Amino acid sequence: MANKTTTKRQTSEAYVQEIVAKARVASREIANLDTVKKDAALRLMAERLVKSSDYLQEENEKDLAAGKKSKLTSALLDRLTLTQSRIEGMAEGLEQIAALPDPVGKLLDGWSRPNGLRIQQVRVPIGVIGIIYESRPNVTADAAGLCLKSGNASILRGGKEAIHSNLAIHKIIESSLSDLGINPAGIQIINRTDRTVVKHLVEREGNLDVIIPRGGEGLIRAISEMSKVPVLKHYKGVCHVYVDAGAELEMARSITFNSKTQRPGVCNAAECLLVHEDIAAGFLPSAIEQLKRAGVEIRACPRTRKIVKGLKIAKPDDWGAEFLDLILAVRVVASLEEAIDFINTNGSGHTDAIVTNSLAASNEFTRRVDSAAVFVNASTRFTDGFEFGFGAEIGISTDRLHARGPVGLEGLTTYKFVVGGNGQLKQ
Amino acid sequence: MANKTTTKRQTSEAYVQEIVAKARVASREIANLDTVKKDAALRLMAERLVKSSDYLQEENEKDLAAGKKSKLTSALLDRLTLTQSRIEGMAEGLEQIAALPDPVGKLLDGWSRPNGLRIQQVRVPIGVIGIIYESRPNVTADAAGLCLKSGNASILRGGKEAIHSNLAIHKIIESSLSDLGINPAGIQIINRTDRTVVKHLVEREGNLDVIIPRGGEGLIRAISEMSKVPVLKHYKGVCHVYVDAGAELEMARSITFNSKTQRPGVCNAAECLLVHEDIAAGFLPSAIEQLKRAGVEIRACPRTRKIVKGLKIAKPDDWGAEFLDLILAVRVVASLEEAIDFINTNGSGHTDAIVTNSLAASNEFTRRVDSAAVFVNASTRFTDGFEFGFGAEIGISTDRLHARGPVGLEGLTTYKFVVGGNGQLKQ
């Protein structure tokens, strides 16, 4: 038994080592592909995905059947499903990436030094990127497309419940690379579902340049804990909507409602509503009435409960909680200052919004709220690579280093300095 | 005994916790200081450092006396010494930082979306930065100045051999902050010399935003291994000079000589010379003759040894070695291609230079050599924050994420997205 385990572990390790080594070699080639070639590959993938939708849906059916058998929740089954329109959505995502400017080779800055040295800061790919994700098969195409366009080799590791769908999508991607004469090891997928593979992957320090986990907090924490490779991540989205004294009430009501209910299970949905005391009595009754009609459970502070009767009281750990559900914590605050401090203390640095017509309040809020995305008079649901115009997103980062907020092509690059001289020597 | 250890450990931990907590509070204040105030503080520090040079040299004497007693090498004693001119150098560094543009609040990018959302990407401070360094006391002023100007709170931890010098410099810095009404916890120094303090510091994940270790590879690896906080670092500098077939021989000779000998103990000194076979016979004899006259030990490949007799043969581990000494590995290569592959395989991604008059070779080398800084016709010794015009540097990064190459003010910042709307809702 001990021997068997050892043998299995070695095999997984060798498997991962081989994939990473092939990716490293391919990364040098992918980094130097010209834009026309990368875009042609992206468009070919898009075209073939749509043409192959019958095949993709057949393979997806296998995952769905297995998922039903293993009693996945209906939410998980929904995420797993590849409909015709979702396949078209993947293809459209790849087309959009193809249409974006190539970030590689972009001159970020350039200057001359008194001694005549000319310094240029040039965008270059990161190298080899590992993407670890859960049940949505469309991540396979999104992630592969973004990594390719940004000149990186990628290693994809999806959830085991989506393995047939992911392998089918990858097969189309791989054949598109090969048919255009691009090294197919530039986009590889892990075809094993055992967890030791992930462990070996995140130990490849120096060979894998970054790991991007996409999924729930549990997955992300587990990977960050194990990983020797830098991880680009967000743990959670505890987003606030603050309705300022200077808010237009109808706008505040619709932004609150949209931020909470438009899709409650995602990281950019609002989890907490803060309301300035000056307008609480005028705002809260109708806003809460609308939320309740949509099935939202309100967990309220004592002051809110005085204004709207019959609400459940918020417990201490409801502040700062990521419900990912039709639940909203509601609190009356005495000032803009209190709202900002509350958000900086209880938020997760993801997305927070103010609704106000006051320029001063807007400036103060955007300057002092320390989150990746700070909104004025718009729904928190817009923190998203598509909505920001990045074509697609590889994820959202609440880290402070490298990339913050929605991460698109630029977040998948680094830079180098190219320095030109004519014989300069250090004195 | 066990009890005593436990008590001591808790005390160190409590000490670090208190410092980090004070830094976090101060960081919100430092982040919002206006440029005029930050620059005034930097100039006041500079002025007071020069005025206090007697005091600084007295305190430095204590470190030097202790260092001699504990038999530090002369190289270490030299690094430790605060001469009048080094004190003026520190002050000048602070003046230069004051003269640089404030990175905070800079609009990095901005665009509108079809739905009318206006997205701005704005530079903001990282937050709380820990700097862990070794024997050079001037790092205390450099690091404090760069962190302050970039709006970050800093926690400084210098080598124990420089403790009196560092505390003296910090005392002047701290009084300058206080006298201008700035929270002195914005720049704190660890006044304990026990190692457990460092361990506790690097465990403050979530409270400390980044650790920047400055020193030898041993220090940096030890910190990276322990740290739960992201580390911005370079392990080593294995820099190459490649003399291309199209090089001007006199320029190649002087760049090689300068890169190796101008200051051999630092990370941007050259450790390996690659020479194209077409010019090896014309170049190597005089170049090696000059290097040997300066006391450089040559470790050569077989082809080099055929051209210049009597050279020591390079062992396999001399390729890719960081000598930090008057030693140079020398190798003849058959092509530009071979040189690029050799550097990408054996280098450390720090700094590599080509000497050539060929535009094609220059373009190929700068595009394909995957290092933080790639030079054409200049000494590798210029990879340095001062030489790049950053005013000073907090360090050099060979990491690929966040910051690469010399790290100045911009590397100490992150960004946030500020999004303005007029009631936009996600459909």
Side-chain angles (χ1 to χ4, degrees):
Chain A
M1 187 67 188
N3 269 345
K4 205 177 164 190
T5 309
T6 310
T7 311
K8 196 181 172 206
R9 198 181 317 132
Q10 284 175 328
T11 311
S12 273
E13 190 168 4
Y15 169 76
V16 169
Q17 264 175 346
E18 192 189 323
I19 284 187
V20 173
K22 278 157 76 178
R24 176 61 69 201
V25 171
S27 75
R28 308 256 184 233
E29 187 181 327
I30 303 292
N32 285 304
L33 286 177
D34 58 36
T35 313
V36 169
K37 192 129 192 181
K38 292 188 286 193
D39 292 347
L42 292 165
R43 294 200 172 100
L44 186 59
M45 290 171 198
E47 188 191 317
R48 289 185 178 178
L49 283 173
V50 174
K51 276 192 187 151
S52 314
S53 49
D54 288 349
Y55 163 66
L56 291 174
Q57 290 184 63
E58 275 164 38
E59 293 299 306
N60 184 242
E61 264 309 320
K62 295 180 190 170
D63 290 330
L64 291 172
K68 280 169 199 155
K69 215 166 147 185
S70 62
K71 308 223 188 300
L72 291 186
T73 63
S74 59
L76 272 177
L77 287 172
D78 174 57
R79 285 188 195 184
L80 191 53
T81 306
L82 277 182
T83 60
Q84 178 70 25
S85 100
R86 284 187 182 169
I87 292 168
E88 281 162 13
M90 275 198 287
E92 201 188 313
L94 292 171
E95 294 275 3
Q96 284 188 28
I97 296 169
L100 289 168
D102 191 336
V104 177
K106 184 176 174 179
L107 192 61
L108 299 175
D109 207 346
W111 62 96
S112 291
R113 296 293 301 152
N115 63 2
L117 284 180
R118 300 175 312 280
I119 300 179
Q120 298 189 321
Q121 187 184 24
V122 184
R123 221 182 248 302
V124 297
I126 291 177
V128 180
I129 297 179
I131 318 279
I132 301 177
Y133 50 105
E134 291 183 324
S135 49
R136 284 182 222 188
N138 61 309
V139 176
T140 308
D142 281 2
L146 285 166
C147 289
L148 177 65
K149 180 77 182 228
S150 53
N152 295 287
S154 54
I155 298 173
L156 310 169
R157 208 303 185 168
K160 78 162 183 255
E161 65 283 5
I163 186 76
H164 293 97
S165 315
N166 290 337
L167 292 178
I169 294 167
H170 179 259
K171 196 170 166 185
I172 291 161
I173 289 173
E174 194 178 37
S175 74
S176 305
L177 291 181
S178 295
D179 290 354
L180 290 174
I182 301 171
N183 187 340
I187 303 174
Q188 294 179 86
I189 194 162
I190 304 274
N191 62 21
R192 296 187 180 193
T193 56
D194 58 305
R195 291 205 167 190
T196 55
V197 168
V198 172
K199 185 178 157 290
H200 293 305
L201 197 61
V202 302
E203 280 171 355
R204 302 286 105 206
E205 192 197 3
N207 291 311
L208 198 59
D209 295 304
V210 61
I211 294 272
I212 305 178
R214 289 191 52 164
E217 194 181 346
L219 172 83
I220 297 169
R221 288 210 185 266
I223 287 168
S224 301
E225 199 64 36
M226 301 194 269
S227 188
K228 293 183 178 155
V229 177
V231 177
L232 200 61
K233 63 185 179 296
H234 83 279
Y235 284 134
K236 54 185 175 178
V238 181
C239 306
H240 294 74
V241 173
Y242 165 60
V243 178
D244 185 51
E248 199 177 296
L249 294 190
E250 178 53 28
M251 188 194 286
R253 199 195 45 69
S254 61
I255 286 174
T256 303
F257 188 78
N258 187 262
S259 298
K260 178 68 258 181
T261 66
Q262 199 267 339
R263 195 165 174 194
V266 293
C267 62
N268 58 18
E271 305 292 13
C272 181
L273 170 67
L274 303 173
V275 181
H276 193 285
E277 60 182 14
D278 289 357
I279 60 152
F283 173 69
L284 282 170
S286 64
I288 287 178
E289 170 64 23
Q290 187 194 16
L291 288 161
K292 285 176 76 176
R293 268 203 312 272
V296 177
E297 176 188 324
I298 305 293
R299 301 188 183 173
C301 75
R303 296 184 68 182
T304 303
R305 292 173 84 223
K306 279 190 192 149
I307 297 166
V308 182
K309 301 295 173 191
L311 297 177
K312 199 167 165 178
I313 191 156
K315 290 183 203 135
D317 61 3
D318 286 326
W319 312 115
E322 187 187 38
F323 302 114
L324 295 174
D325 204 347
L326 288 173
I327 301 170
L328 184 67
V330 180
R331 185 182 187 102
V332 174
V333 293
S335 62
L336 170 65
E337 186 75 21
E338 187 185 330
I340 292 170
D341 287 346
F342 187 88
I343 291 169
N344 283 339
T345 307
N346 295 281
S348 64
H350 189 295
T351 301
D352 298 287
I354 184 174
V355 186
T356 190
N357 278 334
S358 156
L359 181 60
S362 155
N363 285 344
E364 188 72 2
F365 189 88
T366 55
R367 197 166 60 91
R368 291 194 39 222
V369 167
D370 186 20
S371 298
V374 185
F375 283 75
V376 179
N377 295 338
S379 169
T380 58
R381 290 277 295 113
F382 288 108
T383 299
D384 170 293
F386 276 104
E387 294 294 346
F388 273 42
F390 297 164
E393 72 178 21
I394 200 80
I396 290 177
S397 165
T398 56
D399 286 339
R400 304 183 70 86
L401 296 192
H402 188 69
R404 202 175 180 210
V407 182
L409 292 176
E410 292 190 356
L412 298 178
T413 63
T414 179
Y415 56 80
K416 67 179 169 191
F417 291 103
V418 173
V419 184
N422 52 5
Q424 280 81 354
L425 306 177
K426 173 99 170 180
Q427 299 304 313
Chain B
M1 187 68 188
N3 269 345
K4 204 177 165 190
T5 310
T6 310
T7 311
K8 195 180 172 203
R9 198 181 316 132
Q10 285 175 328
T11 311
S12 273
E13 191 167 3
Y15 169 76
V16 170
Q17 264 175 347
E18 193 189 324
I19 284 187
V20 173
K22 278 158 77 179
R24 176 61 69 200
V25 171
S27 75
R28 308 254 183 233
E29 187 181 328
I30 303 292
N32 286 304
L33 287 177
D34 58 37
T35 313
V36 169
K37 192 128 192 180
K38 292 188 286 192
D39 291 347
L42 292 165
R43 294 200 173 101
L44 186 58
M45 291 171 197
E47 189 191 315
R48 289 186 178 177
L49 283 173
V50 174
K51 277 193 189 151
S52 313
S53 47
D54 289 349
Y55 164 64
L56 292 174
Q57 289 184 64
E58 273 164 40
E59 292 299 306
N60 184 240
E61 265 309 322
K62 296 181 190 169
D63 290 330
L64 290 172
K68 279 168 199 154
K69 214 166 147 187
S70 62
K71 305 218 189 303
L72 291 187
T73 63
S74 60
L76 272 177
L77 286 172
D78 174 58
R79 285 188 195 184
L80 191 52
T81 306
L82 276 183
T83 61
Q84 179 70 25
S85 102
R86 284 188 183 169
I87 292 168
E88 282 163 13
M90 274 197 289
E92 199 187 314
L94 292 171
E95 294 275 3
Q96 283 187 29
I97 295 169
L100 289 168
D102 191 336
V104 177
K106 183 176 176 181
L107 191 61
L108 298 175
D109 206 347
W111 62 96
S112 291
R113 296 293 302 151
N115 62 2
L117 285 180
R118 300 175 312 281
I119 301 179
Q120 298 189 322
Q121 187 184 23
V122 184
R123 223 183 248 301
V124 297
I126 291 176
V128 180
I129 298 179
I131 317 277
I132 301 177
Y133 49 105
E134 293 182 323
S135 48
R136 284 183 222 188
N138 62 308
V139 176
T140 308
D142 280 2
L146 285 166
C147 289
L148 178 65
K149 180 78 183 226
S150 53
N152 294 289
S154 54
I155 298 173
L156 311 168
R157 209 298 186 171
K160 78 162 182 255
E161 65 282 5
I163 186 76
H164 293 97
S165 315
N166 289 337
L167 291 179
I169 294 168
H170 179 260
K171 196 171 166 184
I172 290 162
I173 289 173
E174 195 178 36
S175 74
S176 305
L177 291 181
S178 295
D179 290 354
L180 291 174
I182 300 171
N183 187 340
I187 302 173
Q188 293 178 86
I189 194 162
I190 303 275
N191 62 22
R192 297 187 179 192
T193 56
D194 59 304
R195 291 204 168 192
T196 55
V197 168
V198 172
K199 185 178 158 287
H200 293 305
L201 197 61
V202 303
E203 279 171 355
R204 301 287 107 204
E205 192 198 2
N207 291 311
L208 197 61
D209 295 304
V210 62
I211 294 271
I212 305 177
R214 290 190 52 163
E217 194 181 347
L219 172 82
I220 298 169
R221 287 209 184 268
I223 287 167
S224 301
E225 198 65 35
M226 298 195 270
S227 188
K228 292 184 178 155
V229 177
V231 177
L232 199 60
K233 62 185 182 294
H234 82 279
Y235 284 134
K236 53 185 175 178
V238 181
C239 306
H240 295 74
V241 173
Y242 165 60
V243 177
D244 185 51
E248 200 178 297
L249 293 191
E250 178 53 27
M251 187 194 287
R253 197 194 46 69
S254 60
I255 286 174
T256 303
F257 188 78
N258 187 264
S259 299
K260 177 69 258 181
T261 67
Q262 200 268 338
R263 195 166 173 194
V266 293
C267 62
N268 59 16
E271 306 291 13
C272 181
L273 169 67
L274 303 173
V275 182
H276 192 286
E277 60 181 15
D278 289 357
I279 59 151
F283 173 68
L284 282 170
S286 64
I288 287 179
E289 170 65 22
Q290 187 193 16
L291 288 161
K292 285 175 77 175
R293 268 204 313 270
V296 177
E297 177 187 323
I298 305 293
R299 301 188 183 173
C301 74
R303 296 185 68 184
T304 302
R305 293 173 82 226
K306 279 191 192 148
I307 296 167
V308 181
K309 300 297 175 190
L311 297 177
K312 198 167 164 180
I313 191 157
K315 289 182 202 138
D317 61 3
D318 285 327
W319 311 115
E322 188 187 36
F323 301 115
L324 295 175
D325 204 348
L326 287 173
I327 302 170
L328 184 68
V330 180
R331 186 184 187 99
V332 174
V333 294
S335 62
L336 170 65
E337 185 75 21
E338 187 186 330
I340 293 169
D341 288 346
F342 187 88
I343 290 170
N344 284 339
T345 307
N346 295 281
S348 64
H350 188 297
T351 301
D352 299 285
I354 184 173
V355 186
T356 190
N357 278 333
S358 155
L359 181 60
S362 155
N363 286 343
E364 188 72 2
F365 189 87
T366 55
R367 198 166 61 91
R368 291 193 41 222
V369 167
D370 185 20
S371 298
V374 184
F375 283 75
V376 179
N377 296 336
S379 169
T380 59
R381 289 278 294 114
F382 287 108
T383 298
D384 171 293
F386 276 103
E387 294 294 347
F388 272 42
F390 297 164
E393 72 178 20
I394 200 79
I396 290 178
S397 165
T398 56
D399 286 340
R400 303 182 71 85
L401 296 192
H402 188 69
R404 202 176 182 209
V407 182
L409 291 176
E410 294 191 356
L412 299 178
T413 64
T414 179
Y415 56 82
K416 68 179 169 191
F417 291 103
V418 173
V419 184
N422 52 5
Q424 280 83 353
L425 306 177
K426 172 101 170 181
Q427 300 303 315

